[in-house]
PDB file of all heavy atoms in Angstrom:
ATOM      1  N   LEU A 377      -1.721  59.047 -41.679  1.00 97.00           N
ATOM      2  CA  LEU A 377      -0.522  58.557 -41.014  1.00 97.00           C
ATOM      3  C   LEU A 377       0.717  59.308 -41.493  1.00 97.00           C
ATOM      4  O   LEU A 377       1.589  59.673 -40.692  1.00 97.00           O
ATOM      5  CB  LEU A 377      -0.355  57.054 -41.268  1.00 97.00           C
ATOM      6  CG  LEU A 377      -1.298  56.131 -40.502  1.00 97.00           C
ATOM      7  CD1 LEU A 377      -1.176  54.696 -41.007  1.00 97.00           C
ATOM      8  CD2 LEU A 377      -1.018  56.180 -39.000  1.00 97.00           C
ATOM      9  N   THR A 378       0.809  59.529 -42.789  1.00 96.00           N
ATOM     10  CA  THR A 378       1.952  60.264 -43.333  1.00 96.00           C
ATOM     11  C   THR A 378       2.081  61.631 -42.675  1.00 96.00           C
ATOM     12  O   THR A 378       3.183  62.054 -42.296  1.00 96.00           O
ATOM     13  CB  THR A 378       1.808  60.425 -44.855  1.00 96.00           C
ATOM     14  OG1 THR A 378       1.835  59.136 -45.472  1.00 96.00           O
ATOM     15  CG2 THR A 378       2.920  61.282 -45.426  1.00 96.00           C
ATOM     16  N   LEU A 381       2.584  61.120 -38.241  1.00 95.00           N
ATOM     17  CA  LEU A 381       3.560  60.314 -37.524  1.00 95.00           C
ATOM     18  C   LEU A 381       4.602  61.184 -36.826  1.00 95.00           C
ATOM     19  O   LEU A 381       5.164  62.099 -37.432  1.00 95.00           O
ATOM     20  CB  LEU A 381       4.272  59.348 -38.474  1.00 95.00           C
ATOM     21  CG  LEU A 381       3.467  58.154 -38.988  1.00 95.00           C
ATOM     22  CD1 LEU A 381       4.275  57.376 -40.013  1.00 95.00           C
ATOM     23  CD2 LEU A 381       3.050  57.244 -37.837  1.00 95.00           C
ATOM     24  N   ALA A 384       9.441  59.313 -33.563  1.00 95.00           N
ATOM     25  CA  ALA A 384       9.787  57.987 -33.043  1.00 95.00           C
ATOM     26  C   ALA A 384       8.665  56.972 -33.240  1.00 95.00           C
ATOM     27  O   ALA A 384       8.775  55.845 -32.763  1.00 95.00           O
ATOM     28  CB  ALA A 384      10.140  58.079 -31.566  1.00 95.00           C
ATOM     29  N   ASP A 385       7.597  57.347 -33.934  1.00 96.00           N
ATOM     30  CA  ASP A 385       6.446  56.463 -34.066  1.00 96.00           C
ATOM     31  C   ASP A 385       6.756  55.268 -34.963  1.00 96.00           C
ATOM     32  O   ASP A 385       7.612  55.325 -35.844  1.00 96.00           O
ATOM     33  CB  ASP A 385       5.243  57.232 -34.622  1.00 96.00           C
ATOM     34  CG  ASP A 385       4.666  58.219 -33.616  1.00 96.00           C
ATOM     35  OD1 ASP A 385       5.061  58.141 -32.438  1.00 96.00           O
ATOM     36  OD2 ASP A 385       3.848  59.065 -34.013  1.00 96.00           O
ATOM     37  N   VAL A 386       6.015  54.198 -34.741  1.00 97.00           N
ATOM     38  CA  VAL A 386       6.231  52.938 -35.452  1.00 97.00           C
ATOM     39  C   VAL A 386       4.921  52.511 -36.103  1.00 97.00           C
ATOM     40  O   VAL A 386       3.854  52.598 -35.486  1.00 97.00           O
ATOM     41  CB  VAL A 386       6.713  51.832 -34.493  1.00 97.00           C
ATOM     42  CG1 VAL A 386       6.927  50.513 -35.247  1.00 97.00           C
ATOM     43  CG2 VAL A 386       7.997  52.254 -33.778  1.00 97.00           C
ATOM     44  N   VAL A 387       5.012  52.058 -37.346  1.00 98.00           N
ATOM     45  CA  VAL A 387       3.876  51.463 -38.044  1.00 98.00           C
ATOM     46  C   VAL A 387       4.201  49.994 -38.289  1.00 98.00           C
ATOM     47  O   VAL A 387       5.288  49.666 -38.764  1.00 98.00           O
ATOM     48  CB  VAL A 387       3.597  52.166 -39.384  1.00 98.00           C
ATOM     49  CG1 VAL A 387       2.461  51.460 -40.135  1.00 98.00           C
ATOM     50  CG2 VAL A 387       3.251  53.634 -39.160  1.00 98.00           C
ATOM     51  N   VAL A 388       3.265  49.120 -37.927  1.00 98.00           N
ATOM     52  CA  VAL A 388       3.442  47.686 -38.128  1.00 98.00           C
ATOM     53  C   VAL A 388       2.308  47.209 -39.032  1.00 98.00           C
ATOM     54  O   VAL A 388       1.136  47.392 -38.701  1.00 98.00           O
ATOM     55  CB  VAL A 388       3.413  46.914 -36.803  1.00 98.00           C
ATOM     56  CG1 VAL A 388       3.744  45.441 -37.051  1.00 98.00           C
ATOM     57  CG2 VAL A 388       4.401  47.515 -35.804  1.00 98.00           C
ATOM     58  N   ALA A 389       2.667  46.626 -40.163  1.00 97.00           N
ATOM     59  CA  ALA A 389       1.660  46.205 -41.129  1.00 97.00           C
ATOM     60  C   ALA A 389       1.728  44.710 -41.356  1.00 97.00           C
ATOM     61  O   ALA A 389       2.817  44.132 -41.452  1.00 97.00           O
ATOM     62  CB  ALA A 389       1.853  46.936 -42.459  1.00 97.00           C
ATOM     63  N   SER A 394      -2.053  44.883 -46.495  1.00 94.00           N
ATOM     64  CA  SER A 394      -1.671  45.920 -45.530  1.00 94.00           C
ATOM     65  C   SER A 394      -0.252  46.413 -45.758  1.00 94.00           C
ATOM     66  O   SER A 394       0.015  47.619 -45.712  1.00 94.00           O
ATOM     67  CB  SER A 394      -1.814  45.382 -44.105  1.00 94.00           C
ATOM     68  OG  SER A 394      -3.149  44.969 -43.868  1.00 94.00           O
ATOM     69  N   ALA A 398       1.101  50.188 -46.787  1.00 96.00           N
ATOM     70  CA  ALA A 398       2.104  50.867 -45.966  1.00 96.00           C
ATOM     71  C   ALA A 398       3.370  51.163 -46.756  1.00 96.00           C
ATOM     72  O   ALA A 398       3.995  52.219 -46.586  1.00 96.00           O
ATOM     73  CB  ALA A 398       2.431  50.023 -44.737  1.00 96.00           C
ATOM     74  N   VAL A 402       2.173  55.166 -47.405  1.00 96.00           N
ATOM     75  CA  VAL A 402       2.592  55.883 -46.196  1.00 96.00           C
ATOM     76  C   VAL A 402       4.016  56.374 -46.425  1.00 96.00           C
ATOM     77  O   VAL A 402       4.922  55.573 -46.665  1.00 96.00           O
ATOM     78  CB  VAL A 402       2.539  54.982 -44.947  1.00 96.00           C
ATOM     79  CG1 VAL A 402       3.034  55.744 -43.719  1.00 96.00           C
ATOM     80  CG2 VAL A 402       1.122  54.473 -44.708  1.00 96.00           C
ATOM     81  N   MET A 404       7.401  58.199 -45.021  1.00 95.00           N
ATOM     82  CA  MET A 404       8.048  58.373 -43.727  1.00 95.00           C
ATOM     83  C   MET A 404       9.227  59.331 -43.816  1.00 95.00           C
ATOM     84  O   MET A 404       9.909  59.406 -44.839  1.00 95.00           O
ATOM     85  CB  MET A 404       8.502  57.024 -43.175  1.00 95.00           C
ATOM     86  CG  MET A 404       7.356  56.126 -42.760  1.00 95.00           C
ATOM     87  SD  MET A 404       7.931  54.628 -41.922  1.00 95.00           S
ATOM     88  CE  MET A 404       6.445  54.184 -41.008  1.00 95.00           C
ATOM     89  N   GLN A 409      11.625  56.865 -37.001  1.00 90.00           N
ATOM     90  CA  GLN A 409      10.411  56.222 -37.474  1.00 90.00           C
ATOM     91  C   GLN A 409      10.749  54.851 -38.053  1.00 90.00           C
ATOM     92  O   GLN A 409      11.826  54.647 -38.601  1.00 90.00           O
ATOM     93  CB  GLN A 409       9.727  57.064 -38.551  1.00 90.00           C
ATOM     94  CG  GLN A 409       9.088  58.331 -38.038  1.00 90.00           C
ATOM     95  CD  GLN A 409       8.421  59.110 -39.159  1.00 90.00           C
ATOM     96  OE1 GLN A 409       8.536  58.772 -40.325  1.00 90.00           O
ATOM     97  NE2 GLN A 409       7.725  60.175 -38.787  1.00 90.00           N
ATOM     98  N   ARG A 410       9.832  53.917 -37.935  1.00 92.00           N
ATOM     99  CA  ARG A 410      10.051  52.583 -38.484  1.00 92.00           C
ATOM    100  C   ARG A 410       8.769  52.023 -39.064  1.00 92.00           C
ATOM    101  O   ARG A 410       7.673  52.311 -38.589  1.00 92.00           O
ATOM    102  CB  ARG A 410      10.544  51.614 -37.398  1.00 92.00           C
ATOM    103  CG  ARG A 410      11.981  51.768 -36.982  1.00 92.00           C
ATOM    104  CD  ARG A 410      12.983  51.514 -38.100  1.00 92.00           C
ATOM    105  NE  ARG A 410      12.857  50.212 -38.720  1.00 92.00           N
ATOM    106  CZ  ARG A 410      13.479  49.113 -38.307  1.00 92.00           C
ATOM    107  NH1 ARG A 410      14.247  49.158 -37.232  1.00 92.00           N
ATOM    108  NH2 ARG A 410      13.340  47.972 -38.943  1.00 92.00           N
ATOM    109  N   LEU A 411       8.941  51.206 -40.082  1.00 96.00           N
ATOM    110  CA  LEU A 411       7.867  50.357 -40.581  1.00 96.00           C
ATOM    111  C   LEU A 411       8.309  48.920 -40.389  1.00 96.00           C
ATOM    112  O   LEU A 411       9.393  48.531 -40.830  1.00 96.00           O
ATOM    113  CB  LEU A 411       7.594  50.620 -42.062  1.00 96.00           C
ATOM    114  CG  LEU A 411       6.648  49.603 -42.728  1.00 96.00           C
ATOM    115  CD1 LEU A 411       5.237  49.734 -42.174  1.00 96.00           C
ATOM    116  CD2 LEU A 411       6.649  49.764 -44.246  1.00 96.00           C
ATOM    117  N   LEU A 412       7.488  48.136 -39.723  1.00 96.00           N
ATOM    118  CA  LEU A 412       7.747  46.711 -39.565  1.00 96.00           C
ATOM    119  C   LEU A 412       6.706  45.928 -40.361  1.00 96.00           C
ATOM    120  O   LEU A 412       5.505  46.176 -40.225  1.00 96.00           O
ATOM    121  CB  LEU A 412       7.667  46.278 -38.100  1.00 96.00           C
ATOM    122  CG  LEU A 412       8.544  46.996 -37.069  1.00 96.00           C
ATOM    123  CD1 LEU A 412       8.393  46.302 -35.720  1.00 96.00           C
ATOM    124  CD2 LEU A 412       9.983  47.039 -37.495  1.00 96.00           C
ATOM    125  N   THR A 413       7.171  45.007 -41.174  1.00 95.00           N
ATOM    126  CA  THR A 413       6.267  44.086 -41.874  1.00 95.00           C
ATOM    127  C   THR A 413       6.915  42.704 -41.862  1.00 95.00           C
ATOM    128  O   THR A 413       8.137  42.587 -41.734  1.00 95.00           O
ATOM    129  CB  THR A 413       6.026  44.504 -43.346  1.00 95.00           C
ATOM    130  OG1 THR A 413       7.206  44.223 -44.118  1.00 95.00           O
ATOM    131  CG2 THR A 413       5.689  45.983 -43.457  1.00 95.00           C
ATOM    132  N   ALA A 423       0.893  41.501 -37.436  1.00 98.00           N
ATOM    133  CA  ALA A 423       0.851  42.918 -37.077  1.00 98.00           C
ATOM    134  C   ALA A 423       0.501  43.174 -35.618  1.00 98.00           C
ATOM    135  O   ALA A 423       1.127  44.018 -34.972  1.00 98.00           O
ATOM    136  CB  ALA A 423      -0.127  43.667 -37.991  1.00 98.00           C
ATOM    137  N   ALA A 427       3.177  44.682 -33.117  1.00 98.00           N
ATOM    138  CA  ALA A 427       2.928  46.028 -32.594  1.00 98.00           C
ATOM    139  C   ALA A 427       3.154  46.068 -31.085  1.00 98.00           C
ATOM    140  O   ALA A 427       3.713  47.040 -30.550  1.00 98.00           O
ATOM    141  CB  ALA A 427       1.508  46.469 -32.935  1.00 98.00           C
ATOM    142  N   ALA A 430       6.853  46.050 -30.505  1.00 98.00           N
ATOM    143  CA  ALA A 430       7.415  47.378 -30.775  1.00 98.00           C
ATOM    144  C   ALA A 430       7.128  48.341 -29.628  1.00 98.00           C
ATOM    145  O   ALA A 430       7.978  49.165 -29.260  1.00 98.00           O
ATOM    146  CB  ALA A 430       6.841  47.919 -32.080  1.00 98.00           C
ATOM    147  N   ARG A 438       4.239  56.305 -30.169  1.00 97.00           N
ATOM    148  CA  ARG A 438       2.966  55.736 -30.595  1.00 97.00           C
ATOM    149  C   ARG A 438       3.246  54.606 -31.590  1.00 97.00           C
ATOM    150  O   ARG A 438       4.135  54.707 -32.422  1.00 97.00           O
ATOM    151  CB  ARG A 438       2.084  56.788 -31.244  1.00 97.00           C
ATOM    152  CG  ARG A 438       1.582  57.857 -30.283  1.00 97.00           C
ATOM    153  CD  ARG A 438       0.665  58.839 -31.001  1.00 97.00           C
ATOM    154  NE  ARG A 438       1.349  59.469 -32.131  1.00 97.00           N
ATOM    155  CZ  ARG A 438       0.747  60.244 -33.030  1.00 97.00           C
ATOM    156  NH1 ARG A 438      -0.547  60.486 -32.939  1.00 97.00           N
ATOM    157  NH2 ARG A 438       1.440  60.785 -34.018  1.00 97.00           N
ATOM    158  N   VAL A 439       2.483  53.539 -31.469  1.00 98.00           N
ATOM    159  CA  VAL A 439       2.624  52.389 -32.359  1.00 98.00           C
ATOM    160  C   VAL A 439       1.279  52.142 -33.027  1.00 98.00           C
ATOM    161  O   VAL A 439       0.251  52.018 -32.351  1.00 98.00           O
ATOM    162  CB  VAL A 439       3.085  51.133 -31.598  1.00 98.00           C
ATOM    163  CG1 VAL A 439       3.143  49.935 -32.541  1.00 98.00           C
ATOM    164  CG2 VAL A 439       4.450  51.366 -30.954  1.00 98.00           C
ATOM    165  N   PHE A 440       1.305  52.077 -34.358  1.00 98.00           N
ATOM    166  CA  PHE A 440       0.087  51.872 -35.143  1.00 98.00           C
ATOM    167  C   PHE A 440       0.194  50.547 -35.893  1.00 98.00           C
ATOM    168  O   PHE A 440       1.186  50.292 -36.587  1.00 98.00           O
ATOM    169  CB  PHE A 440      -0.093  53.011 -36.151  1.00 98.00           C
ATOM    170  CG  PHE A 440      -0.196  54.368 -35.529  1.00 98.00           C
ATOM    171  CD1 PHE A 440       0.915  55.191 -35.432  1.00 98.00           C
ATOM    172  CD2 PHE A 440      -1.405  54.822 -35.032  1.00 98.00           C
ATOM    173  CE1 PHE A 440       0.830  56.443 -34.855  1.00 98.00           C
ATOM    174  CE2 PHE A 440      -1.506  56.080 -34.450  1.00 98.00           C
ATOM    175  CZ  PHE A 440      -0.381  56.887 -34.355  1.00 98.00           C
ATOM    176  N   GLY A 441      -0.828  49.720 -35.758  1.00 98.00           N
ATOM    177  CA  GLY A 441      -0.903  48.485 -36.508  1.00 98.00           C
ATOM    178  C   GLY A 441      -1.889  48.621 -37.654  1.00 98.00           C
ATOM    179  O   GLY A 441      -2.871  49.363 -37.553  1.00 98.00           O
ATOM    180  N   ILE A 442      -1.618  47.939 -38.754  1.00 98.00           N
ATOM    181  CA  ILE A 442      -2.543  47.885 -39.892  1.00 98.00           C
ATOM    182  C   ILE A 442      -2.657  46.427 -40.316  1.00 98.00           C
ATOM    183  O   ILE A 442      -1.641  45.767 -40.580  1.00 98.00           O
ATOM    184  CB  ILE A 442      -2.042  48.716 -41.093  1.00 98.00           C
ATOM    185  CG1 ILE A 442      -1.725  50.157 -40.689  1.00 98.00           C
ATOM    186  CG2 ILE A 442      -3.080  48.699 -42.211  1.00 98.00           C
ATOM    187  CD1 ILE A 442      -1.118  50.973 -41.821  1.00 98.00           C
ATOM    188  N   PHE A 468      -5.512  49.623 -36.853  1.00 98.00           N
ATOM    189  CA  PHE A 468      -6.466  49.912 -37.923  1.00 98.00           C
ATOM    190  C   PHE A 468      -6.799  48.611 -38.647  1.00 98.00           C
ATOM    191  O   PHE A 468      -5.935  48.016 -39.311  1.00 98.00           O
ATOM    192  CB  PHE A 468      -5.885  50.940 -38.896  1.00 98.00           C
ATOM    193  CG  PHE A 468      -5.678  52.301 -38.293  1.00 98.00           C
ATOM    194  CD1 PHE A 468      -4.437  52.701 -37.845  1.00 98.00           C
ATOM    195  CD2 PHE A 468      -6.753  53.170 -38.149  1.00 98.00           C
ATOM    196  CE1 PHE A 468      -4.241  53.951 -37.275  1.00 98.00           C
ATOM    197  CE2 PHE A 468      -6.573  54.420 -37.578  1.00 98.00           C
ATOM    198  CZ  PHE A 468      -5.318  54.817 -37.141  1.00 98.00           C
TER     199      PHE A 468
END
Side-chain angles (χ1 to χ4, degrees):
L377 286 171
T378 296
L381 287 175
D385 289 348
V386 180
V387 176
V388 186
S394 301
V402 178
M404 291 187 158
Q409 289 180 353
R410 285 298 303 271
L411 170 68
L412 305 186
T413 73
R438 292 182 302 172
V439 177
F440 301 97
I442 306 175
F468 294 99

